[in-house]
């Protein structure tokens, strides 16, 4: 008998329009000692499955058909009290964000001991001994001392280890890990996955690993279930799913994953039917006219249409940024943060320059310094021959600065929810007097919307009518409306599903070659960076540790930090 | 501004005054000095504990304040206890049973409570318990016992009876605010990841509610509650008027009507000092509850 | 028209249709506002026109005839023979006028200062919020009384009654702006962190344009909630001030003034002089509060406070 059997599971949420089916007709099984990966894009219902097994479906969701059988016990008909006694003792769960999973006002000891006492019926002193052992097992050094500390005294990776210790303290038979490493940096992610895998083997425990990340799955899982819109699409061994997928959806999904081992020119088109027509002839003309007026105005900047050149368009020298902290009453003054330390680099016209680094490396701060959103502490930034690190009153100079535009990380906050898409795209043209009239601006806006492959009637709607990927396209259209020559992409796809990511990356590549843009591409995702960039700067704690052509970074990295990063990157290779 | 607010001399001396009287008093009170001098004298005197002389009663303000203070402080203290205890209990209850009938009843009643001005509640309570049922006195403090300079009504049965209605009247509004605040904070805490994780570990509801959720709820509640309790003392003005409670609030209302500047100024200073004190206490409690602040403070 | 239709299809209107409490309180509030506006047309008598008053009509009980004159008054009369129903209508008018004006004043002041604080940060922010903090420590009643006291001192006695209502509006408005400023500042700080604001900076929008065109429309929901709750609070504050004798003058009585007058007769048996104005006040404040409560839960579930 399997450890876990799910048969024909259906989960529904009643809503305004009747009923929403989150999971439909799902059947799965799991053996002891096995890691089953559930993979899918957002809205696939993968987390809902995990919550249903735990009996923790968010209200008003409910299991409306099918059954879940755990070790011979039928979970779907089990009462709340009996279910509670199983939770933590025989089935456990690990959440996504270690920063919020622990109670900030209780020490690690308080939280571990209360859980151990509850499940293992131990007295306080032996429970504490057991807690220290557990922390030791999940790789927390000096456990006897650290157990008395509060969660905020631990780093993200360490907190996730504590969370794992808490989940595993009663030696459960089944663990559900819901995106356990998504909130962590690459190097920490590898360690946590290794730990989970080891614990599973050692304790003969079954694990369901819910994730959106194919790389994580291929590194960790024994078998994989691919889900899409609440349904199970394909189930098979990890080897079979990643190398030889049978279903169309799985093939698409796999093709969209940026391979870690090589650079490909374009992602295979992910749309099943390529029904989206590229821009009409008319809109093409409108845009060509619009764009040509740019090279006309800046006579000597004729380089805009050129392919890659050896002329640097952006020169950054000795850049420093220190965020000063404020002090408050009874709270000691926090330390100043030196976010960017003495950074220098040059970006050539027409190339794609990548900045890669983990959280806190200062990579996003650099984009804010170049765009002037944050003032810099010291250093110079030269764009197209003019110093843009200081404020200027010269109109022409200000206009040239507008040639630097940006695409943001979060498509849900980068568009003003109270403005129609057309107005959002028109705003830069009108504010900077790039057009004669509102009607002309609207005309160009529609052409731009076509260029980013959306329907023209999108201009009349509000942002909330669009999905994340569509919003990112709108965001690109807005950036293009300023006639930029230099586009900063700050993690432009990290909030998107992998198939959408592939589309956006393709679009960026197309636009670059069509418009002769220079791209500064910032990301934490090494495979993505590899697909996009010509040269890469690796950052750590505010400093550039290595700067080299892209392929060299991945094949012959010089700095040990770069080597470690590459080694920790989840492998997802394409033949 | 003081110059505009009418001439205090008129109020102090009444009808039978002579010009010599007026001049003498003006000189004595320093009212002939320039405005800036008057202000400076007021400040330096205040620092020495001398708040001047009441225009209306002709007695030192400090003396009057000290006489009235115990009544207000006792009233505020009892109301604060009622507001906190009942408010927190109801807030926690309505958060844990967030959908029941009793919860809806409590929430609706609390809205009615907020929609009724304090003075009206006072009048209704007097009408019901003092006039119709004749259980409790309708005004005053009852008998008081003198302990040093402090006069307390909490040690006599008539004093205890007398404080019930005013304390409820004064505490009710703060109680509803505290209740709603506790409820909304607790509901937010209950949806936090660490509560879901606690549930996933199989901890019983009781432990989750009282050990994990309540403490986290209290952190934001304390600041706002502290400020609100501070305002109880000022709100006492209304209650003291309705119940003719002989405290500093009633004194203030009288002084506003008679433009008795020294008393008004001293009252405001007293209120300010109370607020600074309460803020200080809130900050200290905050640090005691939240380890994140504690560690920062030590480092 | 298109806007109206899209409003009818919105989640907001859908939620409204399904909330009977919201519908009922909206109707009551709207009805009371309407009667207040139309008071001179609806009221059977003008209680402030001495020529229509007959002292013989004093203390007529509600729903019954006057023993001497045989006149009929729906809700009875007070000691001077004024029709209680009419005085309530006129009182409602004053109360609502003061309430709305005070909230408008507080809103304009609070929203501007809150936006200013959020957008400039640094010292300006610190100064504005310090003033707000200090003022928050003093309850509205106290501030209103101080403003009232000062105003009483600087206006000549013969003008006092005429400016009394404006003094009320300013004093309540000055006491209430802090709520707006705090909420607007908080919400604006959150919005300011969002990437669409950075995008607006990048295309060269100035700070004022960003504040007014981008940030303000996104925090209007919070402002609306605060405004509704403040309206109830302002009406109650006004009543309280009038009750304490530092508010609307007897020549222009608000609901609070009427209650103050009625209080004297409660214990001698003429309960209606107090009860009906009090009930009106309760109904008004309650319906506005219920509406505000519902708005808060619907528009911004996280903003409860």
């Amino acid at each position: 008998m399997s450890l876990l059997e799910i048969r024909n599971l259906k989960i529904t949420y009643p809503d305004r329009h009747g009923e929403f089916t989150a999971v439909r007709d799902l059947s799965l099984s799991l053996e002891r000692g096995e890691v089953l990966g559930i993979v899918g894009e957002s809205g696939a219902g993968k987390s809902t499955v995990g919550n249903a097994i735990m009996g923790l479906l968010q209200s008003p969701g409910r299991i409306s058909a099918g059954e879940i059988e755990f070790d011979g016990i039928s979970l779907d008909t089990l009462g709340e009290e009996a279910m509670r006694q199983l939770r933590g003792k025989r089935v456990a769960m690990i959440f996504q964000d270690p920063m919020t999973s622990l109670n900030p006002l209780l020490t690690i000891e308080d939280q571990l001991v209360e859980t151990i006492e509850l499940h293992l019926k131990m007295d306080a002193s032996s429970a504490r001994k057991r807690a220290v052992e557990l922390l030791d097992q999940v790789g927390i050094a000096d456990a006897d001392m650290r157990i008395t500390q509060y969660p905020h005294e631990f780093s993200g990776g360490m907190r996730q280890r504590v969370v794992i210790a808490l989940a595993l303290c009663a030696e459960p038979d089944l663990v559900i890990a819901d995106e356990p490493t998504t909130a962590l940096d690459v190097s920490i992610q590898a360690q946590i996955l290794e730990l989970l895998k080891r614990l599973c083997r050692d304790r003969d425990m079954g694990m369901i690993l819910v994730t959106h990340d194919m790389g994580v799955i291929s590194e960790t899982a024994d078998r994989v279930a691919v889900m899409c819109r609440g349904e199970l699409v394909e189930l098979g061994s990890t080897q079979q799913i990643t190398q030889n997928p049978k279903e169309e959806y799985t093939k698409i999904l796999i093709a969209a994953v940026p391979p870690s081992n090589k650079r490909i020119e374009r992602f295979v088109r992910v749309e099943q039917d390529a029904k989206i027509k590229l821009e009409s002839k008319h809109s093409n003309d409108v845009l060509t006219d619009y764009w040509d007026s740019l090279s006309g105005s800046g006579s000597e900047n004729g380089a805009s249409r050129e392919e890659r050149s050896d002329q640097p368009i952006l020169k950054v020298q000795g850049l420093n940024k220190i965020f000063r902290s404020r002090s408050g009453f009874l709270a000691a003054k926090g330390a100043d943060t030196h976010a960017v330390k003495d950074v220098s680099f040059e970006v050539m016209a027409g190339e794609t320059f990548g900045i890669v680094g983990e959280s806190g490396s200062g990579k996003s701060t650099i984009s804010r310094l170049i765009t002037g959103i944050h003032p810099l502490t010291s250093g110079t930034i030269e764009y197209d021959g003019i110093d843009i690190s200081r404020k200027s009153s010269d109109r022409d100079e200000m206009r040239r600065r507008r040639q630097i535009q940006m695409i943001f990380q979060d498509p849900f906050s980068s568009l003003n929810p109270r403005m129609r898409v057309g107005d959002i795209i028109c705003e830069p043209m009108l504010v900077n007097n790039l057009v004669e009239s509102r009607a002309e601006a609207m005309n160009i806006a529609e052409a731009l919307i076509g260029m980013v492959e959306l329907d023209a009637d999108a201009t009349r709607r509000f942002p909330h009518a669009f999905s994340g990927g569509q919003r990112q396209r709108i965001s690109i259209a807005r950036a293009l409306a300023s006639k930029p020559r230099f586009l900063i992409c700050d993690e432009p796809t990290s909030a998107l599903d992998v198939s959408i990511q592939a589309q956006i990356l393709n679009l960026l590549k197309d636009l670059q070659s069509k418009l002769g843009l220079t791209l500064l591409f910032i990301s934490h995702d090494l495979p993505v960076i590899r697909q996009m960039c010509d040269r890469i700067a690796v950052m750590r704690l505010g400093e550039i540790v290595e700067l080299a052509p892209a392929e060299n970074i991945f094949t012959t990295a010089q700095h040990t930090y770069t080597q470690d990063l590459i080694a920790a990157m989840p492998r997802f290779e394409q033949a | 501004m003081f110059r505009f607010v009418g001439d205090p001399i008129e109020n102090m001396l009444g009808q039978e005054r002579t010009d010599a009287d007026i001049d003498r008093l003006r000189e004595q009170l320093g009212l002939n000095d320039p405005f800036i001098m008057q202000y400076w004298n007021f400040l330096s005197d205040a620092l020495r504990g001398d708040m001047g002389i009441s225009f209306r009663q002709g007695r030192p303000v400090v003396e009057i304040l000290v006489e009235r203070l115990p009544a207000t402080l006792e009233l505020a203290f009892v109301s604060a206890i009622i507001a906190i205890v009942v408010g927190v209990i109801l807030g926690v209850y309505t958060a844990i049973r967030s959908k029941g009938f009793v919860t809806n009843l409590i929430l609706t009643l609390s809205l009615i409570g907020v929609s009724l001005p304090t003075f009206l509640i006072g009048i209704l309570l007097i009408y019901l318990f003092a006039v119709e049922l004749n259980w409790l006195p309708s005004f005053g403090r009852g008998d008081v016992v003198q302990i040093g300079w402090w006069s307390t009504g909490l040690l006599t049965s008539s004093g205890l009876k007398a404080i019930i209605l005013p304390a409820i009247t004064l505490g009710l509004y703060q109680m509803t605010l505290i209740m709603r605040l506790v409820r909304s904070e607790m509901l937010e805490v209950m949806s936090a990841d660490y509560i879901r994780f606690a549930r996933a570990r199989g901890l019983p509801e009781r432990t989750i509610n009282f050990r994990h959720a309540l403490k986290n709820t209290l952190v934001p509640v304390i600041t706002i509650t502290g400020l609100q309790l501070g305002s109880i003392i000022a709100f006492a003005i209304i209650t003291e008027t309705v119940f003719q409670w002989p405290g500093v609030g009633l004194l203030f209302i009288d002084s506003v009507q008679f433009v008795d500047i020294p008393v008004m100024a001293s009252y405001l200073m007293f209120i300010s000092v109370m607020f600074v004190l309460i803020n200080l206490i809130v900050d200290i409690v905050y640090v005691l509850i939240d380890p994140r602040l504690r560690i920062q403070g030590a480092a | 028209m298109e806007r109206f239709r899209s409003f009818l299809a919105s989640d907001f209107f859908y939620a409204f249709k399904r909330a009977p409490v919201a519908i009922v309180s909206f109707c009551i509030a709207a009805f009371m506002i309407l009667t207040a506006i139309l008071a001179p047309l609806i009221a059977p008598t003008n209680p402030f026109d001495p020529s229509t008053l007959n002292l013989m009509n004093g203390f007529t009980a509600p729903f019954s005839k006057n023993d001497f004159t045989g006149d009929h008054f729906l809700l009875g009369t007070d000691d001077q023979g004024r029709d209680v129903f009419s005085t309530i209508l006129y009182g409602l008018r004053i109360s609502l006028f003061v309430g709305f004006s005070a909230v408008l004043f507080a809103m304009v002041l609070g929203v501007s200062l809150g936006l200013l604080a959020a957008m400039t940060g640094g010292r300006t922010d610190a100064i504005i919020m310090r003033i707000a903090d200090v003022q928050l420590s003093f309850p509205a009643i106290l501030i209103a009384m101080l403003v009232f006291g000062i105003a009483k001192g600087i206006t000549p006695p013969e003008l006092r009654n005429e400016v009394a209502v404006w003094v009320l509006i300013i004093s309540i408005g000055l006491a209430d702006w802090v709520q707006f400023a705090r909420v607007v500042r908080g919400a604006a700080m959150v919005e300011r962190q969002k990437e669409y604001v950075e995008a607006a900076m990048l295309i060269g929008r100035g700070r004022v344009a960003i504040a007014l065109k981008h940030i303000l429309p996104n925090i209007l929901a919070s402002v609306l909630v605060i405004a509704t709750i403040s309206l109830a609070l302002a009406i109650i504050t006004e009543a309280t001030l009038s009750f304490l004798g530092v508010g609307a003058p007897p020549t222009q009585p608000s609901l609070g003034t009427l209650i103050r007058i009625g209080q004297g007769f409660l214990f001698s048996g003429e309960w209606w002089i107090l009860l009906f104005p009090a009930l009106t006040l309760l109904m008004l404040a309650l319906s506005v509060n219920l509406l505000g409560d519902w708005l808060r839960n619907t528009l911004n579930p996280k903003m409860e406070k």
Side-chain angles (χ1 to χ4, degrees), chain C residues 8-295:
Chain C
L8 288 186
S10 65
D11 284 349
F12 179 77
F13 189 67
Y14 176 80
F16 182 74
K17 276 192 295 187
R18 308 216 358 177
V21 176
I23 297 176
V24 169
S25 42
F26 177 79
C27 290
I28 293 179
F31 175 75
M32 293 181 93
I33 291 168
L34 209 65
T35 45
I37 292 171
L38 300 175
L41 300 176
I42 299 173
T45 62
N46 180 352
F48 307 109
D49 179 0
S51 64
T52 65
L53 292 185
N54 182 352
L55 272 183
M56 295 293 283
N57 276 332
F59 298 129
T60 314
F63 319 117
S64 57
K65 272 189 195 139
N66 183 281
D67 295 342
F68 307 103
T69 61
D71 287 347
H72 206 99
F73 299 97
L74 182 62
L75 301 180
T77 61
D78 65 4
D79 54 334
Q80 300 179 42
R82 282 189 294 219
D83 174 33
V84 170
F85 180 60
S86 304
T87 54
I88 287 177
L89 284 184
Y90 280 86
L92 193 60
R93 209 170 143 89
I94 302 283
S95 286
L96 276 171
F97 176 71
V98 171
F100 271 111
S101 312
V103 169
L104 192 69
F105 176 58
M107 187 163 75
V108 171
L109 192 65
V111 171
S112 331
L113 287 177
L115 268 182
L116 182 71
M119 293 307 289
T120 49
R123 193 162 294 160
T124 320
D125 179 30
I127 292 173
I128 294 176
M129 291 331 281
R130 185 53 47 188
I131 294 173
D133 277 352
V134 170
Q135 204 182 316
L136 198 68
S137 322
F138 291 87
I141 297 277
L142 198 59
I143 291 166
M145 283 178 75
L146 282 180
V147 175
F148 195 87
I150 295 168
K152 192 177 168 190
I154 59 176
T155 46
E158 63 275 14
L159 282 176
R160 270 183 203 163
N161 276 346
E162 295 187 10
V163 298
V165 167
W166 295 103
V167 171
L168 259 183
I169 290 169
I170 290 172
S171 45
I172 296 174
L174 276 182
D176 266 0
W177 70 273
V178 177
Q179 285 303 328
F180 287 95
R182 286 172 64 99
V183 169
V184 165
R185 175 179 174 271
M189 297 278 255
V190 172
E191 292 299 315
R192 214 177 68 139
Q193 300 301 318
K194 292 197 178 160
E195 290 170 344
Y196 72 84
V197 172
E198 292 189 2
M201 287 163 88
L202 263 184
I203 62 170
R205 276 284 196 195
R207 270 200 278 191
V208 178
I210 287 178
L212 296 182
K213 297 212 155 148
H214 288 274
I215 292 183
L216 188 58
N218 282 294
I219 55 179
L220 273 185
S222 310
V223 174
L224 180 67
V225 171
I226 296 293
T228 315
I229 294 166
S230 291
L231 178 62
L233 206 64
I235 291 169
I236 291 173
T237 309
E238 184 279 326
T240 306
L241 287 173
S242 297
F243 174 80
L244 292 174
V246 292
T251 51
Q252 273 178 300
S254 70
L255 292 176
T257 325
L258 296 180
I259 293 170
R260 175 186 166 85
I261 296 169
Q263 185 201 11
F265 302 110
L266 177 64
F267 307 114
S268 58
E270 288 84 21
W271 47 268
W272 60 89
I273 307 176
L274 173 84
L275 184 70
F276 293 119
L279 273 183
T280 313
L281 181 65
L282 174 63
M283 253 166 53
L284 179 62
L286 186 60
S287 60
V288 175
N289 262 333
L290 281 170
L291 210 55
D293 203 49
W294 175 82
L295 272 178

Side-chain angles (χ1 to χ4, degrees), chain A residues 129 278 359 488:
Chain A
K129 241 170 85 190
L278 290 186
S359 54
I488 300 173

Side-chain angles (χ1 to χ4, degrees), chain A residues 16 368 410 413 416 427 432, chain C residues 11 195 198 205 214 218:
Chain A
R16 179 180 162 179
R368 273 27 178 210
D410 178 7
S413 94
N416 186 341
E427 192 183 16
N432 294 314
Chain C
D11 284 349
E195 290 170 344
E198 292 189 2
R205 276 284 196 195
H214 288 274
N218 282 294

Side-chain angles (χ1 to χ4, degrees), chain A residues 8-45:
Chain A
N8 308 100
L9 185 67
K10 181 179 181 188
I11 298 168
T12 52
Y13 287 83
D15 68 1
R16 179 180 162 179
H17 307 286
E19 212 176 46
F20 169 73
T21 306
V23 173
R24 178 179 298 136
D25 198 22
L26 179 86
S27 299
L28 284 176
S29 69
L30 177 75
E31 306 299 324
R32 284 178 193 275
E34 184 189 37
V35 178
L36 172 69
I38 299 185
V39 72
E41 301 191 301
S42 51

Side-chain angles (χ1 to χ4, degrees), chain B residues 2-3 5-14 25-26 29 31 55-56 258-262:
Chain B
F2 292 172
R3 269 177 300 156
V5 195
D7 193 339
I9 303 290
E10 311 232 349
N11 288 326
M12 286 175 80
L13 290 176
L25 200 59
R26 271 189 181 281
L29 293 175
L31 289 177
F55 292 162
R56 183 164 174 244
F258 288 92
V259 205
D260 193 346
I261 300 291

Side-chain angles (χ1 to χ4, degrees), chain B:
Chain B
M1 113 188 187
F2 292 172
R3 269 177 300 156
F4 293 115
V5 195
D7 193 339
I9 303 290
E10 311 232 349
N11 288 326
M12 286 175 80
L13 290 176
Q15 294 299 318
E16 290 160 31
R17 60 186 181 220
T18 63
D19 287 355
D21 281 342
I22 293 175
D23 283 346
R24 188 174 43 76
L25 200 59
R26 271 189 181 281
E27 198 56 44
Q28 190 187 331
L29 293 175
L31 289 177
N32 289 332
D33 298 339
F35 174 70
I36 294 290
M37 274 299 285
Q38 287 189 33
Y39 183 63
W40 171 251
N41 285 339
F42 170 74
L43 274 190
S44 54
D45 285 350
L47 285 179
R48 274 181 274 117
D50 177 3
M51 306 293 294
I53 294 172
S54 162
F55 292 162
R56 183 164 174 244
Q57 306 190 23
R59 289 200 291 150
V61 175
V62 175
E63 204 181 295
I64 305 175
L65 268 185
V66 166
E67 200 177 280
R68 297 286 197 109
L69 208 55
T72 298
L73 287 182
E74 279 182 2
L75 177 60
F77 179 72
V78 176
S79 315
I81 299 285
I82 295 177
I84 294 178
V85 172
V86 183
V88 170
I89 290 176
L90 289 184
V92 169
Y93 178 86
T94 51
I96 294 175
R97 306 231 182 290
S98 64
K99 291 218 167 69
F101 171 76
V102 180
T103 296
N104 282 334
L105 189 74
I106 294 173
L107 288 177
T108 312
L109 281 180
S110 81
L111 260 186
I112 295 179
V114 181
S115 306
L116 271 175
T118 310
F119 67 89
L120 209 50
I121 292 174
I123 294 174
L124 291 178
L125 288 180
I126 290 176
Y127 186 73
L128 197 61
F129 292 99
V131 178
E132 288 295 316
L133 297 172
N134 208 10
W135 288 351
L136 298 165
S138 66
F139 67 91
R141 256 187 113 185
D143 299 328
V144 293
V145 178
Q146 207 66 35
I147 303 175
W149 58 272
W150 185 279
S151 67
T152 177
L154 297 179
L155 294 177
T156 64
S157 67
S158 77
L160 282 176
K161 266 183 160 177
I163 206 169
I164 295 178
L165 288 185
I168 291 177
T169 308
L170 183 54
L172 207 58
Y173 184 69
Q174 314 295 329
M175 187 199 90
T176 53
L177 291 183
I178 291 174
M179 182 197 103
R180 296 179 84 81
L181 183 68
V182 168
R183 175 180 138 85
S184 63
E185 290 294 344
M186 188 142 176
L187 282 178
E188 190 158 340
V189 167
M190 293 302 273
S191 65
D193 273 357
Y194 55 84
I195 297 295
R196 288 181 60 215
F197 187 43
R199 204 161 272 148
R201 296 205 302 274
L203 298 182
E205 283 299 311
R206 182 192 260 300
T207 313
I208 293 177
N209 288 338
F210 293 104
R211 188 174 150 95
H212 288 261
L214 188 58
K215 209 172 170 189
N216 280 286
T217 304
L218 289 183
V219 174
V221 166
I222 282 173
T223 355
I224 301 188
T225 305
L227 286 176
Q228 265 163 18
L229 290 186
S231 63
I232 274 193
I233 294 173
F235 264 117
I237 296 172
I238 307 162
T239 313
E240 291 182 11
T241 311
V242 176
F243 288 91
Q244 291 299 300
W245 188 264
V248 287
L250 202 56
L251 181 72
F252 179 68
I253 274 280
D254 288 345
S255 69
V256 169
Q257 242 120 36
F258 288 92
V259 205
D260 193 346
I261 300 291
V263 175
M264 282 167 73
S266 317
Y267 177 78
L268 291 180
M269 277 189 72
F270 158 69
I271 294 278
S272 316
V273 170
M274 289 307 293
F275 276 114
V276 172
L277 267 181
I278 286 171
N279 267 321
L280 194 69
I281 295 171
V282 165
D283 276 344
I284 291 170
V285 174
Y286 220 88
V287 173
L288 286 180
I289 285 198
D290 195 334
R292 285 164 290 192
L293 296 173
R294 207 178 329 165
I295 299 301
Q296 261 179 25

